[in-house]
Amino acid sequence: MARCDDTLLSLDLRHQIFVVTGGTNGIGWETTKQLLKQGAIVLMGCRDLSIGRSRRSSLFPSSMASNLHCYSLDLSDLSSVVSFSNSVSHFVRSNLSTCTALLNNAGIMDPPHSVTSQHIESQFGVNHLSHFLLSYLLIRKGVLSGGRIVSVSSRAAMRARSFPSSHRSPCFSTPIHSLYCQSKLAQVFFTQDLHSFLCSSSSRLPMPSSHPLFGVMREHFPSSVVSLHPGVINSRILRHWNPLFRFFYSFLLAPLFLKSSWEGAQTSLHCLLSPSLVSGAYYSGCSVSSSVSSTSLDSSLQRSIISRSSSLISPFL
């Protein structure tokens, strides 16, 4: 099983700032603990602040706890994403610094059909759109200048074949797991789209005025952006499954086929820390993966989803 190189896990990260969503559980918590162990400052977005504070109080030594800062973040409400970005920006600016990396880690899988506070299909809204907005808010505020954006997608993205005509509904006609696959493919599209602007001058790659990067100074741009598949993890992301199937999957199959949260965090850590990150790439097993679907290479579909996403977040920029 691939593991993040020990040299990366022993780097001195003192005075470096990392932003993590979904950091209170699963691979997010394992990633957060490792960053703190290496001396990093972590700004963690928490759906439930009491859990974040409990996590912080469990850390030892106290220097690790003092470097963990918890903020409220409800990814099902884009207004909460704006508030979180303001908190991050204030912290970073008050420390006269920039963020080393943003880890878009939080996600939900196969919940009942539902919508977010903005009446957007919940998996598209939480897994993709909220992180799409957060990433561009932090870029526009200049706090990710020269940093990197790492989005936890999934191999399930490769099973997506199409998208609903609109995400402003629970999308009852689309199977729940198909919606999950689509949300993860949207994260891959975000990575590919942003990378295209990072590696091209504005004169060579025209930018639509509706794009979230339009008018943003290039010195505010991050240096790299990637997406990744962490592996099939035995974690709370399975909480919406049928209890009987979840028991069978988690307790009977897990010892044979599923990764632990620490094992699942390895590719995230590699992408956050590796000096040789390949921007625009899709990572799996701590290396660039060639496992892509024809849909993920569909430039027309990518433009459509990025355009839709840009329109949905425009009132919050």
Side-chain angles (χ1 to χ4, degrees):
M1 189 171 294
R3 189 177 186 278
C4 184
D5 193 277
D6 286 340
T7 58
L8 298 179
L9 299 180
S10 60
L11 291 173
D12 185 352
L13 301 180
R14 283 178 293 180
H15 310 301
Q16 296 191 40
I17 301 174
F18 293 79
V19 180
V20 179
T21 69
T24 58
N25 293 288
I27 63 176
W29 177 236
E30 294 297 335
T31 303
T32 295
K33 285 193 296 181
Q34 181 61 37
L35 295 173
L36 292 168
K37 181 180 178 181
Q38 294 177 234
I41 297 168
V42 179
L43 311 183
M44 187 165 69
C46 308
R47 184 170 56 86
D48 187 335
L49 265 179
S50 65
I51 297 177
R53 290 165 179 157
S54 175
R55 291 295 199 187
R56 184 173 58 193
S57 65
S58 71
L59 292 169
F60 183 84
S62 59
S63 58
M64 287 176 60
S66 64
N67 279 342
L68 177 60
H69 302 266
C70 302
Y71 300 97
S72 178
L73 174 60
D74 181 357
L75 293 172
S76 67
D77 183 354
L78 296 182
S79 296
S80 177
V81 176
V82 174
S83 296
F84 176 68
S85 73
N86 289 335
S87 297
V88 170
S89 178
H90 180 267
F91 181 94
V92 172
R93 292 183 184 279
S94 65
N95 284 272
L96 304 177
S97 184
T98 57
C99 293
T100 297
L102 163 65
L103 177 62
N104 291 323
N105 169 79
I108 56 175
M109 182 170 72
D110 301 350
H113 284 100
S114 58
V115 295
T116 68
S117 297
Q118 284 72 40
H119 304 287
I120 298 162
E121 190 280 315
S122 60
Q123 294 187 87
F124 185 83
V126 171
N127 296 345
H128 163 64
L129 197 65
S130 58
H131 289 121
F132 186 79
L133 173 61
L134 177 60
S135 299
Y136 281 117
L137 284 172
L138 295 183
I139 291 173
R140 291 164 71 98
K141 294 174 186 295
V143 298
L144 272 173
S145 176
R148 58 183 63 177
I149 298 175
V150 177
S151 295
V152 179
S153 180
S154 169
R155 188 170 55 199
M158 305 311 160
R159 295 197 292 272
R161 293 293 177 265
S162 62
F163 285 80
S165 59
S166 172
H167 280 96
R168 284 197 174 278
S169 73
C171 301
F172 287 119
S173 62
T174 305
I176 290 173
H177 193 66
S178 294
L179 293 170
Y180 173 75
C181 297
Q182 293 161 7
S183 72
K184 290 301 179 177
L185 178 58
Q187 290 183 295
V188 175
F189 283 161
F190 158 64
T191 295
Q192 295 170 341
D193 178 72
L194 177 54
H195 170 69
S196 69
F197 291 111
L198 299 186
C199 66
S200 304
S201 66
S202 57
S203 61
R204 288 191 291 122
L205 189 63
M207 184 183 298
S209 59
S210 60
H211 197 282
L213 276 184
F214 185 79
V216 178
M217 295 183 291
R218 290 193 68 85
E219 53 262 38
H220 285 178
F221 286 14
S223 63
S224 54
V225 54
V226 300
S227 58
L228 66 90
H229 170 57
V232 184
I233 316 299
N234 186 19
S235 73
R236 289 188 70 252
I237 198 169
L238 308 177
R239 64 188 179 276
H240 294 296
W241 285 13
N242 176 284
L244 183 60
F245 185 51
R246 188 171 67 241
F247 173 84
F248 175 78
Y249 196 82
S250 298
F251 294 98
L252 300 182
L253 294 184
L256 299 175
F257 303 110
L258 272 63
K259 291 182 178 180
S260 68
S261 293
W262 168 246
E263 291 167 339
Q266 298 304 299
T267 303
S268 293
L269 288 165
H270 174 86
C271 291
L272 291 171
L273 303 176
S274 174
S276 55
L277 194 70
V278 180
S279 184
Y282 174 77
Y283 277 76
S284 180
C286 298
S287 62
V288 175
S289 173
S290 59
S291 176
V292 295
S293 68
S294 58
T295 311
S296 68
L297 301 175
D298 186 335
S299 58
S300 177
L301 182 59
Q302 175 186 311
R303 287 193 298 271
S304 173
I305 294 304
I306 295 301
S307 176
R308 180 183 301 182
S309 301
S310 299
S311 176
L312 289 170
I313 69 168
S314 62
F316 299 90
L317 291 174

